[in-house]
Amino acid sequence: MDVYTSGPLLELNKAIPSFDESGLPPVPFSMKLMPGDCMVVETRDVGHATMFADLCSGLVPLDDGAVRFMGLDWTDLRDRELNALRGRIGRVTRRASWPEFVPIHLAIVLQQLHHTTRPIDELVQDAAHLAERFGLPGLPTENPSFLPEDDLLRVSCVRAFLGRPHLLLLEDPIEGGPAELSNSFLAAITEARDRGAGVIWLVRNNAVWQEYRQGITATWRLADDGLVAVRMG
């Protein structure tokens, strides 16, 4: 395992998100994600899925409670520590997140460049290998506006898995995406979990994760009264 922590990788401890800042229900959120876990969080609202991922990343102010990543409370950290921790998080987000005038191969590595000290040549090489895994002929170099939607989903996966992240917050890229992306996506999740990463897979459609059903640790529903555990029948 690459991830070394004796306790939860991510813990929401009665965390009450600011409704004004997030639009999430201002109720206590509690959840523990252990290394190697893969949890599904079902939500019909795409915006709520993104804000929940923000909550896990320490980007949503809290009215009460705490969110801890790798045992560290986000609110106790200074900028340098925040950057270092966020460099260990990979995200696929449905929020518009590609800078318009930056070639896509550079946009993919921006997060790692900002939050880590790895050289750009090394990052681009790793990104190119991941691009092939996710079905691209190589690492695209054009601006995002020139890429078809399917390829944008693929490069979103490349960006998320780049840098061997400890935590993956994945707003589902499979639903509505190219059929062949599913196998690559599930294989990448499994590989990440095998090295100790934790996965939160945010879905709108209950059917998309059934192929991976045996690998799911727990399922939750993001509802008006917060996180509700869903029994896996």
Side-chain angles (χ1 to χ4, degrees), residues 99-104 141-147:
E100 187 55 42
F101 300 107
V102 177
I104 201 80
T141 57
E142 55 265 75
N143 285 349
S145 58
F146 293 112
L147 281 182

Side-chain angles (χ1 to χ4, degrees), residues 17-212:
S18 166
F19 176 77
D20 290 342
E21 297 288 338
S22 69
L24 292 171
V27 297
F29 284 69
S30 293
M31 183 183 75
K32 289 182 181 180
L33 181 77
M34 302 300 291
D37 279 355
C38 180
M39 292 186 176
V40 164
V41 177
E42 300 173 8
T43 174
R44 300 287 182 182
D45 189 306
V46 175
H48 281 180
T50 299
M51 294 312 301
F52 181 76
D54 280 355
L55 175 68
C56 296
S57 305
L59 294 169
V60 172
L62 301 179
D63 292 336
D64 200 2
V67 178
R68 297 184 181 90
F69 176 43
M70 299 186 69
L72 300 172
D73 189 322
W74 286 115
T75 59
D76 291 341
L77 305 179
R78 297 180 178 179
D79 285 349
R80 185 173 181 180
E81 296 163 319
L82 289 169
N83 286 339
L85 271 191
R86 289 189 180 127
R88 298 177 182 180
I89 298 176
R91 287 185 65 171
V92 170
T93 179
R94 294 287 180 160
R95 173 195 288 147
S97 60
W98 295 107
E100 187 55 42
F101 300 107
V102 177
I104 201 80
H105 67 292
L106 295 179
I108 287 171
V109 302
L110 278 179
Q111 189 252 17
Q112 288 288 303
L113 285 174
H114 180 63
H115 293 307
T116 72
T117 57
R118 296 181 66 197
I120 188 170
D121 289 349
E122 181 180 308
L123 288 169
V124 169
Q125 184 176 18
D126 287 354
H129 290 316
L130 281 169
E132 292 178 5
R133 284 191 58 181
F134 285 110
L136 292 162
L139 196 59
T141 57
E142 55 265 75
N143 285 349
S145 58
F146 293 112
L147 281 182
E149 188 64 31
D150 284 355
D151 284 354
L152 280 174
L153 287 173
R154 291 185 176 98
V155 295
S156 292
C157 291
V158 172
R159 180 173 60 182
F161 287 90
L162 184 64
R164 298 169 68 86
H166 291 21
L167 172 64
L168 286 154
L169 303 171
L170 307 172
E171 294 174 48
D172 182 60
I174 296 178
E175 185 182 3
E180 67 275 11
L181 179 60
S182 177
N183 288 339
S184 302
F185 178 72
L186 297 180
I189 286 178
T190 300
E191 183 180 298
R193 296 175 66 194
D194 284 347
R195 64 170 186 269
V199 179
I200 294 179
W201 185 357
L202 294 139
V203 303
R204 286 180 292 176
N205 184 340
N206 187 35
V208 300
W209 55 271
Q210 295 303 315
E211 185 180 346
Y212 199 67

